[in-house]
Amino acid sequence: MSEDIYAKPDLTKKVRFQAASKEDGNKDACEDVDDARIYDNYWAEESPPQDQSQDQSQDKSKDKSQDKSQDNTTEDQQKTASVNVSSGKKTRPGAAALFLGLLCLLFLVAVIVLVVVFILEKNRLSGDNANLISERNELQTSYIKIKSLNVNLTSERNELQTSNKEMKSLNVNLTSERDELQTSNSHMKSLNADLTKKTSQLEIEKGRLNATNKNLTKERDEFKRLAEKPSCSCPWITFGSSCYLVVTSRKNWRDSRTFCQGKASDLAIISSLQEQTFISSLNQDYWIGLTDEESEGEWKWVDRTVPTEKYWRKDGQPDNYGSQGEDCAEISDIDGTYTWNDLPCSSSVMFICEKMR
Ligand code: CA
Ligand code: CA
């Protein structure tokens, strides 16, 4: 039923716009949309229903009363048609209003979204700003610390540079001293080597002097002892600590020794250069108490000691010459010097006896 009312308006009826002001007939029709009224063709050509004559009203009252129900129905239909026509004309402005409302709504939503975005962005920027401020403060603090540290490091660098200069100077001095010490050390080493060599030589000389001193001491003591003893009785010759008897008769070596032993002595034993010199000074050939009868080449004195000092003749003696050999020693000369020579023990030779004082 509503579709019949709103969808199908009665297009046979005339529509008139009641202007709010007849003088302002050119006023924009859009402003009088609300004042539009719809009348049927009759009412629009004659007069409004309020102006009908009384007679007609009375005459027609019956008709009206008779047709009241019909008229009412018709009026309702007319009003309904008027409303429908008005609704049909209001569709475009309503759509525009709806469109504007939607635009406003969209605009509002956009504004709200923008505000929300702005707030969020503002909050984010505020947070970023706070972080940046915090970072700036930290950087300032770090900058102050670094600046202070830089000052300290600069001071330490200057001190180190000063120390480095001092160390370089000291190093130069130490290098110079080291070189001098190395030179001195080389000189000292050379001097030490010389001193070591001289010390060795002095040690050898000391040993020799000690030995000499020992001998001199011994000789001194011997001379002192001999000085206290009486000289040898004649014909014995006194020399050192011994008495010597020169026998000019010639005998073989064994008989000579027997003779000496009969005089409480024995054939002479030469035990030092002084004694060798003394006997040599007698200028004769004499038997001495030296023999290798027991073992050829092993010469021994009559007291069975081995000679410590030997004065053999330089012509190759002892040579044990001859078929019977030579096992007894004499002192004889060669070129005016009396030294030792081996002879056959049976040879006849003068001899020298020796005994202690
Ligand atoms: Ca011999
Ligand atoms: Ca000989």
Side-chain angles (χ1 to χ4, degrees):
M1 183 173 179
S2 61
E3 290 177 357
D4 295 336
I5 296 171
Y6 294 100
K8 295 178 181 178
D10 188 0
L11 297 177
T12 60
K13 294 181 180 180
K14 185 178 292 184
V15 177
R16 186 178 58 89
F17 295 96
Q18 184 178 1
S21 176
K22 290 183 179 177
E23 294 176 357
D24 193 8
N26 297 326
K27 193 174 181 179
D28 192 356
C30 293
E31 297 177 356
D32 299 330
V33 170
D34 293 337
D35 296 332
R37 295 291 186 270
I38 299 173
Y39 303 96
D40 55 16
N41 293 333
Y42 177 78
W43 292 345
E45 291 174 357
E46 295 295 330
S47 62
Q50 293 87 344
D51 296 333
Q52 290 177 353
S53 60
Q54 190 70 31
D55 294 336
Q56 288 176 344
S57 296
Q58 289 177 353
D59 293 339
K60 293 180 182 179
S61 61
K62 292 182 180 177
D63 297 333
K64 285 184 181 180
S65 61
Q66 293 176 352
D67 300 331
K68 190 175 183 180
S69 60
Q70 185 176 358
D71 295 337
N72 288 336
T73 300
T74 303
E75 187 178 358
D76 292 336
Q77 289 176 349
Q78 289 174 348
K79 289 180 180 178
T80 300
S82 177
V83 171
N84 289 337
V85 171
S86 178
S87 298
K89 292 299 180 180
K90 286 183 176 178
T91 299
R92 289 183 181 174
L98 181 60
F99 179 72
L100 289 174
L102 288 173
L103 283 178
C104 292
L105 182 60
L106 289 174
F107 178 74
L108 181 60
V109 170
V111 169
I112 290 170
V113 169
L114 288 174
V115 169
V116 170
V117 169
F118 174 76
I119 291 170
L120 291 175
E121 187 66 15
K122 180 183 178 184
N123 291 334
R124 187 182 66 78
L125 291 174
S126 297
D128 292 343
N129 187 43
N131 292 332
L132 289 172
I133 290 171
S134 176
E135 290 178 0
R136 185 200 61 188
N137 293 334
E138 292 178 357
L139 288 173
Q140 285 180 343
T141 304
S142 299
Y143 172 75
I144 292 170
K145 289 181 180 177
I146 289 172
K147 197 172 182 180
S148 175
L149 184 61
N150 184 44
V151 171
N152 294 333
L153 288 174
T154 302
S155 177
E156 290 180 1
R157 184 200 62 189
N158 294 334
E159 292 178 358
L160 287 173
Q161 285 179 342
T162 304
S163 299
N164 186 39
K165 289 180 180 177
E166 293 177 355
M167 292 299 290
K168 281 183 178 177
S169 176
L170 185 60
N171 183 46
V172 170
N173 294 333
L174 288 174
T175 302
S176 176
E177 290 181 2
R178 184 202 62 189
D179 294 340
E180 292 177 358
L181 287 172
Q182 284 179 342
T183 304
S184 298
N185 186 42
S186 299
H187 178 69
M188 292 299 290
K189 280 183 178 178
S190 176
L191 187 61
N192 183 51
D194 293 341
L195 288 174
T196 301
K197 186 177 179 180
K198 287 182 180 177
T199 300
S200 299
Q201 293 174 351
L202 288 173
E203 288 290 339
I204 294 172
E205 184 69 14
K206 178 184 177 184
R208 190 184 65 79
L209 290 174
N210 282 336
T212 302
N213 182 54
K214 187 176 180 180
N215 292 333
L216 290 173
T217 302
K218 184 178 178 181
E219 289 177 3
R220 182 201 62 188
D221 295 340
E222 184 66 19
F223 280 122
K224 190 179 291 182
R225 187 182 65 82
L226 293 175
E228 296 172 354
K229 287 187 176 181
S231 299
C232 302
S233 59
C234 190
W236 292 85
I237 301 171
T238 303
F239 181 79
S241 59
S242 298
C243 298
Y244 297 89
L245 178 63
V246 177
V247 180
T248 57
S249 61
R250 297 178 182 273
K251 299 180 182 294
N252 60 38
W253 184 85
R254 185 158 300 280
D255 290 342
S256 298
R257 186 182 182 195
T258 301
F259 180 86
C260 289
Q261 288 173 338
K263 300 293 182 180
S265 63
D266 207 334
L267 289 172
I269 297 174
I270 299 174
S271 56
S272 68
L273 178 61
Q274 291 81 4
E275 192 173 9
Q276 167 66 23
T277 303
F278 166 69
I279 293 176
S280 295
S281 65
L282 298 176
N283 293 323
Q284 289 292 332
D285 294 349
Y286 302 107
W287 286 120
I288 57 177
L290 186 63
T291 179
D292 67 344
E293 280 184 319
E294 294 181 357
S295 177
E296 176 60 32
E298 294 181 4
W299 294 90
K300 291 182 181 177
W301 293 111
V302 290
D303 62 356
R304 306 192 64 78
T305 59
V306 176
T308 55
E309 297 181 20
K310 298 174 182 178
Y311 303 101
W312 291 104
R313 226 165 60 186
K314 301 300 181 183
D315 58 349
Q317 304 304 326
D319 56 1
N320 198 34
Y321 183 76
S323 58
Q324 60 179 355
E326 297 175 329
D327 296 334
C328 293
E330 64 164 352
I331 182 169
S332 65
D333 76 304
I334 179 172
D335 298 332
T337 302
Y338 285 84
T339 49
W340 303 351
N341 174 44
D342 58 341
L343 284 177
C345 295
S346 59
S347 301
S348 294
V349 181
M350 295 184 294
F351 55 93
I352 299 175
C353 300
E354 178 184 5
K355 64 179 181 182
M356 297 301 291
R357 285 169 56 182

